[in-house]
Amino acid sequence: MKLDLLLRNADIITMDERRPHATSLGVWQGRIVGLDDDLDGLETAEVLDLGGATVTPGFIDAHCHTTWFGLGLGELDVSGARGLNQLYALLEAGMAADSNADPDAEAGAGPEPEPGTGQAPGWLLATGFSQTQHGGEFPDITVLDRITGNRPLFIRHNSGHMAVVNTAALRLAGAEPASFPDPDGGVIVRDADGRPTGLVQETAQQLIQQLILPYPSDAIEAALDRATRHYAAEGITSFTEAGIGGGWIGHSPVELAAYQRAAAAGRVHARAQLMPVLDVLHPLGGEHPQDAAPAGLDLGIASGFGGDFLSLGPAKVFLDGSLLGETAAVSQDYCSHGGTDNTGNTGYFQAEPEALRTKIEAAYAAGWSIAAHAIGDRAVDLAIDIITACAAKYGPRAVPNRIEHASMTRPEQLQRLAAADIAVTPQASFFAGGGDGMTLSLGPERLGWAYRAASFLAAGVTLAGSSDRPVADGNVLRGMQAFVDRRTASGAVFGNPDERLGPLQALAAYTTGAAAATGASAVKGSLTAGKLADFTVLSGSPLTAASIAQLQVLATAVGGNFTFRSPGLTSPVAVGSAATGPFFSAATNRS
């Protein structure tokens, strides 16, 4: 055997308890052959001397929105605005830029988009808005109308659970009149006189989005290329796309096909597990032993279908909303703050519980595992009830059932989650941007229930690291740091300080934990002989670094092929944090 790649002179953190540390690693045909003395006597095509740099298993983001993120990279980014005047200025600049690009375009109509950008013709699409960046204020629809005229506007909120639109967009949807009813699970926010404020929450977004969707396949493919190149530079080798194909989170009914084409063309730079939105599943014919009417995808395709690079995960279902938007279903009223009276506000479900139960059971009966978006503790109760009942009736699933976010969990819910083998994906990345706001909404008495980490692990619950990008910062190193220190923008420790993780636990969340939650422990998550050669090279060890967030990603490899490689990996240039930091050299042995 002749190795394809040999890493040597490295600090290798394997995340394999049987062999936690090594200094060399061999790769052959995309798999790890062995470590250290396993490799004695083997020839190799390429030797990479890492000069003491750290190698970890490739990072896995178990919950993100890659198409949305990639499309957002081609849209107007308003995330840098601080104060509504800056936001308005960015929108004005966006309108002016389009007018300059196409001076013959009719006023308010907007130019045709550039191919692959994802911009819908005639629309001004913006991303990155959060009221927390504007003192809790939302844009004034009167000002938005003045800026945009007859051109429809859609500004997606960072949380994904609401959006800001103008009157032109509402008029196109027929939703401007006060008599227009709110859809189930959503709200068109109106003032005291019944006039829309421009804020549409939860499922009400679909009234506007259906005018924009579906995105062209080539736009999605370009978005995946942009997004996953970004992932590679951050050490990410695998991710789970949390919702494709429909609902307000999907972008096209043929989104899976877009992924397939992009992957075949080499435009997806990390392994992808895709969650179809429950709404796209439909009744199936044929004989089934269960008494429920199964609902799935054609030919009986279900969770686990696919290969190591592209596969289908659980079916994604939204049970409630968000904490930042105070729409998540909680058991106690949100706290009133900043002039907002939350008396009686316990959030809401996105459909009647029994309707959700029926739809979820139909999917489970067809072979799908379930990923239930449940943020409030009342929604977590519902998720546990439904999933445990389905598992008891139809059996376990090879791809684990999950609760996405599990943001508010009461103490007695921990053991129920563990007993049911339900994995959770709480996002530490929320602490910096939203921690202070969530603290005001929840109050001190139940703040300890919020975004648990250490207590999940203590109870035996599988904890997966994830970002919910672009809702929050997707950088894994900063996410690990957030698990360790739980700091908010104000510098406070969010929630219960005892929920902080140690550095090894934080690394595990994005490696072994995320692999377990995605049903892939047999092939990834640790640097073990026989597993996929997915690894990340870092400037230092996250187990001992003074600041994990300050480490640098030097290289990322998927199946032994580099998806990102710093200049120092091809020439003897110092790339460490200090002037005497590690040097890198590549040598080829063709004998």
Side-chain angles (χ1 to χ4, degrees), residues 33 41 73 79 93 146 239 300 358 389 439 465-467 469 512:
V33 172
L73 293 175
S79 61
R146 176 181 58 77
F239 65 94
T358 299
T439 297
S466 68
S467 67
R469 191 198 312 247
T512 53

Side-chain angles (χ1 to χ4, degrees), residues 378-589:
R378 193 156 52 97
V380 170
D381 274 334
L382 181 61
I384 296 173
D385 289 345
I386 294 174
I387 291 172
T388 53
C390 286
K393 189 172 184 178
Y394 303 106
R397 292 286 176 259
V399 177
N401 295 306
R402 301 168 35 158
I403 293 183
E404 306 308 297
H405 314 297
S407 307
M408 293 290 294
T409 49
R410 301 187 308 275
E412 70 272 16
Q413 291 174 322
L414 296 175
Q415 290 304 321
R416 293 190 67 201
L417 288 165
D421 289 328
I422 297 173
V424 296
T425 63
Q427 287 77 30
S429 51
F430 286 177
F431 302 154
D436 291 325
M438 289 187 287
T439 297
L440 293 175
S441 293
L442 298 175
E445 292 184 3
R446 55 182 166 170
L447 192 57
W449 303 352
Y451 286 94
R452 296 178 183 272
S455 60
F456 279 136
L457 295 178
V461 178
T462 298
L463 171 67
S466 68
S467 67
D468 205 18
R469 191 198 312 247
V471 175
D473 182 6
N475 183 284
V476 171
L477 292 170
R478 289 196 288 268
M480 290 170 57
Q481 184 68 52
F483 268 130
V484 170
D485 63 29
R486 296 179 69 90
R487 293 291 178 184
T488 69
S490 68
V493 175
F494 178 73
N496 184 348
D498 293 339
E499 294 291 349
R500 290 177 290 195
L501 298 182
L504 181 62
Q505 292 173 314
L507 177 58
Y510 288 96
T511 54
T512 53
T518 55
S521 291
V523 295
K524 58 188 173 184
S526 67
L527 299 177
T528 303
K531 290 191 177 183
L532 298 166
D534 297 354
F535 58 83
T536 302
V537 182
L538 302 173
S539 60
S541 171
L543 306 186
T544 59
S547 170
I548 300 172
Q550 294 302 313
L551 296 175
Q552 300 297 311
V553 174
L554 303 178
T556 307
V558 176
N561 296 313
F562 287 99
T563 55
F564 170 75
R565 194 164 175 168
S566 71
L569 282 173
T570 55
S571 60
V573 178
V575 295
S577 58
T580 58
F583 287 74
F584 296 86
S585 62
T588 302
N589 181 355

Side-chain angles (χ1 to χ4, degrees), residues 138-157:
F138 287 89
D140 184 334
I141 193 170
T142 303
V143 179
L144 297 179
D145 290 345
R146 176 181 58 77
I147 294 170
T148 58
N150 293 323
R151 184 176 184 183
L153 168 71
F154 184 86
I155 309 175
R156 196 191 288 266
H157 190 275

